[in-house]
Amino acid sequence: MNKDELAERLRGIGFSCTRCGACCRGTDADENLVMVTPGEIELLGEGTGQSPDRFAEPYPESLATDGGGSLTFEHCLSRTPAGCVFFSQNTCTAYPYRPWICRTYPFMLDGDELAAFPCDGLGREMTRESARDLALLLLRRREAEQAEEKAVALVLSSVRIPEGRRVVVDGRGIRVI
Ligand code: SF4
């Protein structure tokens, strides 16, 4: 699907952000977790001046490995009881450095399938220009996700997973936690 086709599909669904902040406030265990790649963590760290361990943590889902260990893929943004660690006074304090997921919410591309998460902004009129901008972001996000998947596969093929340990893997390597 090219950018123009995607933009037309987005316009058909319609979306305009109402700035309600609901997508940044999710606090249930599996609600609105924002997965971040190493590159996104780096950008957020440089942009906000914060150390990554202040805002990112291993993704909570994991696979069991030999010897009672576990394997976690990637990291996600940490959350406080109020929502995302960067959400304050109903605004994103890391807005210029926010991850792809935030830039493209509530949409995502799974291959060529366009999916939309529940959001009050859906169904609202969208200009051609904003649909094209969003389509471009979605395509770039898919490209970045595919590159990260390849990098993770390369790490997994070249590194031995230590038995009985909890490890997190991303496109830059493996870390025992
Ligand atoms: S990084 Fe910003 S836009 Fe993304 S969930 Fe956190 S507060 Fe919201």
Side-chain angles (χ1 to χ4, degrees):
M1 179 161 41
N2 66 33
K3 185 180 79 168
D4 291 336
E5 289 166 350
L6 181 54
E8 277 314 298
R9 288 184 63 185
L10 289 166
R11 279 196 91 207
I13 297 170
F15 172 70
S16 175
C17 178
T18 65
R19 306 200 182 280
C20 67
C23 53
C24 307
R25 275 198 302 266
T27 51
D28 288 349
D30 60 350
E31 193 185 0
N32 287 2
L33 274 177
V34 178
M35 189 180 268
V36 276
T37 61
E40 289 175 315
I41 292 174
E42 198 169 82
L43 181 66
L44 281 162
E46 286 171 4
T48 64
Q50 293 188 42
S51 163
D53 57 10
R54 298 281 303 274
F55 62 79
E57 56 194 67
Y59 201 79
E61 288 172 13
S62 56
L63 300 172
T65 56
D66 291 344
S70 68
L71 176 61
T72 297
F73 291 99
E74 305 290 351
H75 294 79
C76 60
L77 293 183
S78 303
R79 294 189 292 191
T80 70
C84 174
V85 68
F86 289 121
F87 192 60
S88 175
Q89 297 182 331
N90 214 42
T91 192
C92 173
T93 59
Y95 194 79
Y97 321 108
R98 68 200 188 286
W100 283 117
I101 287 179
C102 307
R103 289 173 191 272
T104 53
Y105 195 86
F107 297 101
M108 69 168 286
L109 278 175
D110 182 7
D112 267 353
E113 288 299 311
L114 176 65
F117 294 93
C119 174
D120 281 353
L122 287 171
R124 293 170 187 264
E125 198 177 335
M126 206 173 189
T127 65
R128 281 213 156 76
E129 191 184 6
S130 62
R132 272 202 295 264
D133 288 347
L134 186 51
L136 188 59
L137 288 175
L138 279 161
L139 292 170
R140 286 188 181 155
R141 171 182 165 184
R142 184 176 66 179
E143 215 173 278
E145 288 171 346
Q146 287 170 345
E148 177 65 7
E149 276 171 30
K150 276 188 190 156
V152 167
L154 195 61
V155 168
L156 287 175
S157 68
S158 58
V159 173
R160 192 182 66 82
I161 306 289
E163 278 191 21
R165 307 295 297 273
R166 186 176 175 217
V167 296
V168 59
V169 177
D170 62 25
R172 295 203 183 155
I174 179 168
R175 185 165 64 94
V176 177
I177 50 177

